[in-house]
Amino acid sequence: MLSQRSRYALKALLNIARNGGVRQVAAISTEEQIPRKFLEAIMADLRRAGLVRSTRGAVGGYALGRPADLITFAEVMRITDGPIALLPCVSRNFYQRCEDCPDEHACQLRSLFSEVRDAVTGILDNRTLADALRDDRRRDGAAVGEEVMG
Amino acid sequence: MLSQRSRYALKALLNIARNGGVRQVAAISTEEQIPRKFLEAIMADLRRAGLVRSTRGAVGGYALGRPADLITFAEVMRITDGPIALLPCVSRNFYQRCEDCPDEHACQLRSLFSEVRDAVTGILDNRTLADALRDDRRRDGAAVGEEVMG
DNA sequence: TACAATCTCTACCAATCTGATAGGAAATTA
DNA sequence: TAATTTCCTATCAGATTGGTAGAGATTGTA
């Protein structure tokens, strides 16, 4: 399961991307129903990873560190939750040997879970914040305004 | 990440399937490098779920509760780790609402993580213990004996 | 019957992770 | 200077994880 941390991080980033420009923790907190102090800690992680830039003081806040179409879901999840793969020995970004495994290449779990990793990262490494916003607009459009467009 | 519990459960079941018939915890424990007492607890779970049948006494042990080609990886993982989906609100077997989510159908995470769930369960619900053993034999064959067969 | 082997059950435990909360320091704007 | 906002450090309760201990129940065999 995704941690609450990751869910919050993704929602916060989508909130910033949706609104554009600089956005305060307090606003995100109330809009996305995220405990303020907890969100502060999460934003600090995202800042240290370069996903957002912060400005302090009276009209400060957070802005995306790069365009929304260059921030993937996978990247956010790796920052907040660590590895995406189900086994350490099949992770590309956080590889670690399974200590109790005598021979990695003979392991009957490894090939299957490599396949799972490929399936998952195939989606998450290629889906950006911008994609999520676009899908959302399309869904709204289909229900309400798209007809007007032809 | 998969819990150690799940890894051990899968390895233990594969061990039983590979050897066929009844198999003792002590043997599995040493062969698969799993702490004995911990494995006992895991086998108890698998028994309660019907994946294995146990017999007590002098020549007791555990046998598969049904043929190896009817036990999927997904089923084992759900017993030992719970939901496979990354969000409770997209799980088929353990569905739960996200409390802080005002409108599930407007959620910008949900559609993406449904897609991920489909990709993962598409693999894990359709891969059985028998498949894993077969793949393994094929891999051995390719390296050693297959040439003899033509 | 006694004994050894095996699963079964209950309880317990240390370490880590999760999801927060508290309070103040530092920076910026008006 | 006052207000606003991020930044930093510390703390914490509860759950989860990975495991251990020991006694009890059941069965096969000598």
Side-chain angles (χ1 to χ4, degrees):
Chain A
M1 283 275 194
L2 213 59
S3 70
Q4 198 72 307
R5 233 183 147 74
S6 277
R7 280 187 65 241
Y8 287 162
L10 289 169
K11 290 202 162 194
L13 288 170
L14 285 170
N15 185 295
I16 299 174
R18 196 184 309 124
N19 285 278
V22 173
R23 195 132 185 81
Q24 289 102 19
V25 163
I28 303 172
S29 165
T30 56
E31 277 182 29
E32 305 292 342
Q33 308 247 55
I34 305 173
R36 199 186 110 236
K37 278 299 197 178
F38 193 24
L39 181 55
E40 280 184 15
I42 294 167
M43 295 312 292
D45 285 344
L46 297 178
R47 177 177 51 79
R48 277 186 282 268
L51 288 198
V52 295
R53 276 176 301 104
S54 66
T55 52
R56 310 222 262 199
V59 292
Y62 289 93
L64 294 187
R66 59 182 116 106
D69 60 351
L70 294 181
I71 299 178
T72 66
F73 275 73
E75 190 175 1
V76 179
M77 289 167 59
R78 289 196 185 98
I79 290 164
T80 46
D81 268 1
I84 289 174
L86 289 175
L87 293 180
C89 67
V90 300
S91 172
R92 291 238 153 85
N93 294 269
F94 298 85
Y95 172 84
Q96 248 185 306
R97 223 179 134 269
C98 296
E99 294 128 34
D100 60 311
C101 198
D103 177 8
E104 210 166 72
H105 297 288
C107 177
Q108 286 171 323
L109 304 180
R110 208 171 126 81
S111 62
L112 175 60
F113 284 101
S114 296
E115 206 178 319
V116 173
R117 178 212 56 209
D118 286 343
V120 174
T121 59
I123 297 173
L124 293 175
D125 272 327
N126 293 297
R127 207 63 57 93
T128 68
L129 298 183
D131 292 327
L133 294 182
R134 186 162 357 97
D135 288 353
D136 200 49
R137 253 182 263 124
R138 190 181 301 149
R139 188 165 50 222
D140 287 354
V144 187
E146 203 73 76
E147 298 174 355
V148 182
M149 302 292 289
Chain B
M1 283 274 191
L2 212 59
S3 71
Q4 197 72 308
R5 231 185 149 75
S6 277
R7 279 187 66 241
Y8 286 163
L10 289 170
K11 291 203 162 191
L13 288 170
L14 285 170
N15 184 293
I16 299 175
R18 196 184 308 123
N19 286 278
V22 172
R23 197 131 185 81
Q24 290 99 19
V25 163
I28 303 173
S29 164
T30 56
E31 277 181 30
E32 306 292 342
Q33 307 247 58
I34 306 172
R36 199 185 112 240
K37 277 300 197 178
F38 193 25
L39 180 55
E40 281 183 12
I42 294 167
M43 294 312 291
D45 286 344
L46 297 178
R47 176 178 52 78
R48 276 186 283 269
L51 288 198
V52 294
R53 276 176 301 103
S54 66
T55 51
R56 310 222 261 197
V59 291
Y62 290 94
L64 294 185
R66 59 182 117 104
D69 60 351
L70 293 180
I71 298 179
T72 66
F73 276 72
E75 189 175 3
V76 179
M77 289 167 59
R78 290 197 183 98
I79 290 164
T80 45
D81 268 1
I84 289 174
L86 289 176
L87 292 180
C89 67
V90 302
S91 171
R92 289 238 153 85
N93 294 269
F94 297 86
Y95 171 83
Q96 247 185 308
R97 222 179 135 270
C98 297
E99 293 128 35
D100 59 311
C101 197
D103 178 8
E104 210 166 71
H105 297 287
C107 178
Q108 286 172 323
L109 304 181
R110 207 171 127 81
S111 62
L112 175 60
F113 285 101
S114 296
E115 205 178 319
V116 173
R117 178 211 55 208
D118 288 342
V120 174
T121 60
I123 298 173
L124 294 175
D125 273 325
N126 292 297
R127 207 63 56 92
T128 69
L129 298 183
D131 292 328
L133 294 182
R134 185 160 359 97
D135 288 353
D136 201 49
R137 251 181 264 127
R138 190 182 302 149
R139 189 165 49 222
D140 288 353
V144 187
E146 203 71 76
E147 298 174 356
V148 183
M149 303 291 291

